[in-house]
């Protein structure tokens, strides 16, 4: 070997050792052997076919703690063992590693804040990218902001409010990553007016499955832009986003409207979704002590004094129970953070570490009473682990992304059974079987899956899920990730 080649290889080895950190005393992995399909951790025994890890600005970890992190998520149900966890120091690191895994027939997936429930961001034998390491807020203007995909929506909220602005749609839980919700949808209480978070993006920077770094928007690489938003990580890894902002109000007047029965609740929720008199709408079922359920519709109207909501006009024509309902004002930020105390209590009690086999579907309004009512007739608090049961009204005409599959009717409901259960594998499997039974019954009535939940899906299920859009979905996969290296945990392309 020539001296300059030996020098170059020594330099690469030094970079690889610095970049691929092992938290134990074992040897450091320096590359991949494509002949034997194994990772090499011994420089002295490195074969001639060794493909060295490219120099990185960040680190590629393979210590047990990092691999355990990459193989787990909020669901604590699916555990796929990756070979490494990439903590990128730059977008270039992601580009390099996508190209590297593609060259060697491996796989790669983005992990945001680890809040998936069924292994969606995991990959067996591949590399997981910890995108939370790239979480900068790059620019905030009055009508838009540029953020890294690993930024949390909480950080987005703080940065936007400091300029008197806000994204139109927030999820209830604020510590999700921007890239995560833009891959899945991002439903919130304002979605009946503004669509999902994927409908409020002006531009994306992504790394495709071919390792190409591309900036896309509605007018530039529009096919890629529309595919990635709600595309479940199948076409590109989101690394940066330009989000739409609107003026923020100072306060939220919150109306907690109580209903004794589901039919009254859905009647009002449907009407309110259509007339858009409230800025925020979401519903929740609460178990009665003696059995059965009551319903609460949380509606909010945003305002800045001296202007104030007209309570009489906002509540006109509704069939809620005034004696059990309440009205109160919160600062806008306090309203967005309203579930934080509940989350903190769950964490303090250790509930956050329990399995969460969630069930999440979109149900046509015309069959919601029959479908949801039938499930709740048999659902108990023990079935949910005291997790919330949610019902949000949404509008099909507010949604613009082709691969975000929803029912055909204009008004439909997001139905969530956010289960928490014990770490007993038998019990977890029973919940997963129940999820599948509920899904099959709902699909027969026109319901579609919201892909954040815990549900076994075959390729036939995925084709049915995308329906009319399946050929376009498969075409986009072939165009942007032809070697199927991205996000295998979804199980769409096996």
């Amino acid at each position: 070997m020539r001296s300059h080649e030996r020098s170059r290889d020594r330099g690469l080895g030094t970079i690889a050792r610095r970049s691929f950190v092992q938290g134990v005393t074992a040897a450091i992995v320096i590359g991949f052997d494509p002949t034997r399909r194994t990772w090499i951790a011994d420089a002295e025994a490195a074969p001639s076919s060794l493909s060295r890890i490219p120099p990185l600005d960040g680190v590629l970890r393979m210590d047990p703690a990092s691999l355990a992190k990459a193989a787990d998520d909020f669901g604590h149900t699916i555990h796929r063992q990756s070979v490494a966890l990439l903590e990128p120091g730059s977008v270039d690191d992601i580009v390099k590693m996508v190209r590297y895994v593609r060259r060697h027939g491996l796989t790669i997936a983005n992990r945001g804040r680890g809040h998936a429930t069924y292994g969606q961001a995991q990959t067996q034998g591949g590399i997981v990218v910890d995108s939370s390491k790239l979480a900068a807020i790059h620019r905030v203007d009055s009508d838009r902001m540029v953020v890294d995909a690993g930024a949390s929506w909480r950080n987005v909220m703080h940065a936007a409010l400091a300029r008197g602005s806000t994204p139109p749609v927030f999820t209830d839980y604020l510590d999700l990553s921007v890239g995560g919700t833009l891959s899945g949808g991002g439903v919130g209480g304002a979605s009946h007016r503004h669509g999902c978070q994927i409908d409020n993006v002006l531009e994306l920077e992504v790394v495709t499955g071919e390792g190409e770094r591309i900036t896309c928007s509605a007018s530039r690489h529009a096919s890629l832009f529309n595919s990635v938003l709600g595309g479940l990580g199948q076409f590109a890894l989101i690394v940066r986003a330009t989000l739409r902002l609107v003026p923020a109000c100072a306060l939220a007047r919150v109306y907690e409207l109580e209903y004794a029965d589901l039919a009254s609740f859905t009647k009002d929720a449907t009407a309110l979704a259509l007339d858009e008199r409230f800025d925020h709408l979401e519903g929740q079922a609460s178990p009665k002590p003696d059995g059965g359920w009551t319903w609460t519709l949380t509606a909010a109207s945003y305002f800045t004094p001296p202007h104030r909501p007209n309570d009489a006009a906002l509540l006109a024509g509704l069939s809620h129970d005034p004696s059990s309902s309440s009205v109160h004002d919160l600062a806008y930020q306090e309203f967005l953070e309203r579930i934080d105390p509940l989350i903190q209590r769950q964490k303090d009690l250790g509930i956050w570490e329990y399995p969460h086999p969630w069930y999440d579907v979109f149900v046509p309004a015309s069959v919601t009473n029959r479908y949801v009512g039938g499930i709740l007739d048999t659902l108990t608090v023990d079935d949910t682990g005291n997790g919330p049961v949610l019902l949000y009204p949404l509008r099909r005409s507010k949604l613009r992304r082709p691969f975000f599959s929803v029912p055909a009717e204009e008004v439909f409901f997001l139905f969530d059974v956010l289960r928490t259960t014990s770490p007993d594998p038998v019990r977890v499997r029973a919940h997963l079987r129940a999820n599948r039974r509920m899904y099959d019954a709902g699909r027969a009535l026109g319901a579609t899956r919201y892909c954040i939940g815990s549900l076994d899906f075959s390729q036939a299920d995925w084709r049915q899920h995308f329906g009319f859009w399946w050929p376009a979905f498969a075409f986009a996969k072939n165009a942007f990730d032809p070697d199927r290296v991205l996000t295998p945990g979804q199980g769409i392309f096996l």
Side-chain angles (χ1 to χ4, degrees), residues 115-118 120 184-185 358 360 416 418 449-454:
H115 207 72
T117 69
Y118 208 55
Q120 289 96 330
W358 283 5
D360 309 86
D416 294 318
L418 305 186
R449 178 188 181 187
Y450 186 25
C451 297
I452 66 171
S454 302

Side-chain angles (χ1 to χ4, degrees), residues 34-63:
T35 301
R36 292 186 291 173
R37 307 297 297 169
T38 58
W39 293 88
I40 303 301
D42 186 348
E44 299 302 321
S48 59
S49 58
L50 176 70
S51 173
R52 292 186 178 273
I53 296 162
L56 302 172
D57 297 315
V59 294
L60 194 60
R61 299 189 182 275
M62 62 161 294
D63 59 279

Side-chain angles (χ1 to χ4, degrees), residues 189-394:
S191 290
H192 72 288
R193 295 188 68 174
H194 298 288
C196 297
Q197 288 176 328
I198 57 176
D199 299 299
N200 292 278
V201 179
L202 303 177
E203 187 175 271
L204 291 174
E205 186 175 332
V206 304
V207 178
T208 70
E210 294 182 296
E212 297 297 320
R213 184 175 178 177
I214 298 175
T215 298
C216 55
S217 67
S219 59
R220 183 182 180 188
H221 302 293
S223 175
L224 178 61
F225 180 71
N226 285 310
S227 297
V228 170
L229 291 167
L232 305 178
Q234 295 305 300
F235 315 111
L237 303 181
I238 300 172
V239 295
R240 192 166 295 173
T242 301
L243 308 174
R244 184 171 80 94
L245 300 180
V246 297
C249 292
L251 300 170
R253 179 157 295 176
V254 185
Y255 303 80
E256 303 284 359
L257 309 179
E258 302 294 333
Y259 296 82
D261 64 275
L262 177 59
S264 298
F265 168 90
T266 55
K267 177 177 177 292
D268 281 1
T270 298
L272 293 174
L274 289 169
D275 69 23
E276 299 184 22
R277 70 178 81 171
F278 287 105
D279 295 299
H280 177 101
L281 281 177
E282 64 178 72
Q284 182 167 340
S286 301
K288 297 178 183 177
D290 56 348
W293 303 80
T294 60
W295 292 88
T296 302
L297 184 62
T298 299
S301 181
Y302 305 146
F303 68 102
T304 299
H307 303 289
R308 297 187 181 277
N310 183 328
D311 295 344
L314 288 171
L315 298 176
L318 301 182
S319 54
H320 65 288
D321 178 4
S323 65
S324 300
S325 301
S326 65
V327 180
H328 58 282
D329 291 347
L330 294 173
Y332 177 68
Q333 180 175 328
E334 185 181 3
F335 175 69
L336 295 180
E337 296 175 331
R338 64 196 178 280
I339 72 167
D340 284 2
L342 172 62
I343 298 299
Q344 190 57 53
R345 284 196 299 273
Q346 291 180 340
K347 290 182 177 180
D348 291 343
L349 292 170
I351 296 173
W352 212 246
E353 304 305 319
Y354 281 35
H356 296 89
W358 283 5
Y359 178 68
D360 309 86
V361 288
F362 299 117
V363 186
S366 65
V367 299
T368 295
N369 293 342
R370 174 165 41 127
Y371 177 67
V372 174
I375 289 174
L376 293 188
D377 282 345
T378 61
L379 197 67
T380 67
V381 173
D382 187 56
D383 293 323
T384 67
N386 211 29
V389 176
L390 306 179
L391 202 63
Y392 287 31
L394 301 167

Side-chain angles (χ1 to χ4, degrees), residues 121-133:
Q122 298 173 21
T123 173
Q124 183 68 39
I127 293 174
V128 171
V129 180
D130 182 357
S131 67
S132 69
K133 301 303 179 182

Side-chain angles (χ1 to χ4, degrees), residues 113-196:
R113 300 283 162 152
H115 207 72
T117 69
Y118 208 55
Q120 289 96 330
Q122 298 173 21
T123 173
Q124 183 68 39
I127 293 174
V128 171
V129 180
D130 182 357
S131 67
S132 69
K133 301 303 179 182
L134 296 180
I137 307 290
H138 293 278
R139 191 180 81 243
V140 184
D141 300 323
S142 60
D143 66 339
R144 67 193 60 204
M145 67 188 302
V146 181
V147 304
D148 283 343
S152 72
W153 284 97
R154 187 181 302 277
N155 290 340
V156 166
M157 173 193 69
H158 286 304
L161 289 180
R163 293 293 302 268
S165 298
T166 181
V169 181
F170 282 99
T171 53
D172 281 348
Y173 180 55
L174 296 174
D175 293 317
L176 304 173
S177 70
V178 168
T181 65
L182 296 187
S183 294
V187 177
S191 290
H192 72 288
R193 295 188 68 174
H194 298 288
C196 297

